[in-house]
Amino acid sequence: GENVEQHPSTLSVQEGDSAVIKCTYSDSASNYFPWYKQELGKGPQLIIDIRSNVGEKKDQRIAVTLNKTAKHFSLHITETQPEDSAVYFCAASRNTNAGKSTFGDGTTLTVKP
Amino acid sequence: DAGITQSPRHKVTETGTPVTLRCHQTENHRYMYWYRQDPGHGLRLIHYSYGVKDTDKGEVSDGYSVSRSKTEDFLLTLESATSSQTSVYFCAISGTPRDRGEETQYFGPGTRLLVL
């Protein structure tokens, strides 16, 4: 089955700096790669996703890049703010079904004011 | 936010007792899922459903059963709870929201279960 590895497990940045979280996957048939943000006591919330027919996607301060050859994808957050502090999860799936995703173990991001 | 509710939100039970968690959606989506979340393990799929009375196992299904008698409800049952099933359980749905045009997964708020 699919295996997703996520690094780093913890990340601390100063407000205004950029943060990068990286994931690798093992199943070359995976074609859907979502990123979720989870705040304390809440369920994960989709913040951005990318499908294998594109290499990069951006939404305001958040971007995701995908390298299918190397089987890795990354989340980039620019101009970080304290409210970006949360746990971030990457996931991968063979999307005809976005829900059967395999998740990384999460990255705890702390943005220091 | 997608219309997903979970009940109960918190439960404490004893080893050996049966426990049922409920997930309810108002989105009329076909697919529903149960995940568990443990420290250092991210989210792991327990069971999922692709329609009424159609369910299948995920990667950590041992000790769990599910039922889906209506589109909007997906039940997770621990037949005889064990301490290893202490976890946070998340329900999720996936479908194509009108404002996105692509299939997307949404999570409920979670149920925190403690098995003593």
Side-chain angles (χ1 to χ4, degrees):
Chain A
E2 176 67 277
N3 182 51
V4 176
E5 294 190 357
Q6 182 171 347
H7 300 280
S9 56
T10 60
L11 179 60
S12 181
V13 300
Q14 287 294 135
E15 181 177 1
D17 287 351
S18 295
V20 180
I21 303 170
K22 299 182 179 181
C23 288
T24 60
Y25 62 99
S26 61
D27 185 355
S28 57
S30 289
N31 55 13
Y32 176 64
F33 307 92
W35 285 90
Y36 296 89
K37 176 183 181 182
Q38 186 177 27
E39 297 175 335
L40 198 61
K42 297 185 178 180
Q45 182 176 15
L46 180 72
I47 55 172
I48 195 167
D49 56 9
I50 191 167
R51 296 171 197 270
S52 59
N53 56 344
V54 298
E56 184 174 359
K57 185 176 179 180
K58 189 173 181 180
D59 182 2
Q60 299 183 338
R61 297 185 298 108
I62 295 173
V64 57
T65 58
L66 171 65
N67 183 327
K68 284 186 62 182
T69 302
K71 288 192 245 174
H72 67 71
F73 56 112
S74 301
L75 177 71
H76 305 253
I77 306 174
T78 59
E79 300 172 20
T80 54
Q81 302 167 4
E83 51 266 37
D84 294 329
S85 295
V87 180
Y88 291 81
F89 291 96
C90 64
S93 75
R94 297 183 180 192
N95 178 236
T96 52
N97 185 330
K100 283 187 67 181
S101 295
T102 299
F103 284 77
D105 289 342
T107 296
T108 301
L109 173 65
T110 303
V111 180
K112 299 177 183 177
Chain B
D1 289 344
I4 312 171
T5 56
Q6 293 184 230
S7 59
R9 294 293 315 279
H10 302 271
K11 186 168 182 67
V12 181
T13 191
E14 293 185 348
T15 298
T17 59
V19 177
T20 296
L21 309 183
R22 179 181 183 241
C23 177
H24 179 79
Q25 62 146 329
T26 58
E27 305 298 317
N28 201 35
H29 283 337
R30 178 182 174 192
Y31 292 95
M32 298 185 74
Y33 313 83
W34 278 106
Y35 289 88
R36 61 179 287 175
Q37 184 176 37
D38 304 291
H41 284 283
L43 291 102
R44 292 180 291 177
L45 183 65
I46 305 171
H47 281 280
Y48 66 100
S49 170
Y50 44 94
V52 173
K53 297 186 179 179
D54 289 325
T55 64
D56 206 348
K57 296 178 180 180
E59 62 177 306
V60 290
S61 60
D62 288 349
Y64 301 95
S65 63
V66 290
S67 65
R68 190 165 178 203
S69 59
K70 298 185 290 185
T71 299
E72 58 267 34
D73 290 326
F74 192 31
L75 304 181
L76 176 70
T77 297
L78 291 66
E79 302 290 348
S80 177
T82 67
S83 59
S84 64
Q85 293 176 311
T86 292
S87 187
V88 181
Y89 291 87
F90 287 100
C91 174
I93 63 175
S94 67
T96 304
R98 295 185 193 89
D99 61 346
R100 276 182 57 89
E102 293 177 320
E103 188 175 347
T104 303
Q105 185 171 225
Y106 300 95
F107 285 84
T111 294
R112 191 172 294 272
L113 176 66
L114 175 61
V115 183
L116 299 175

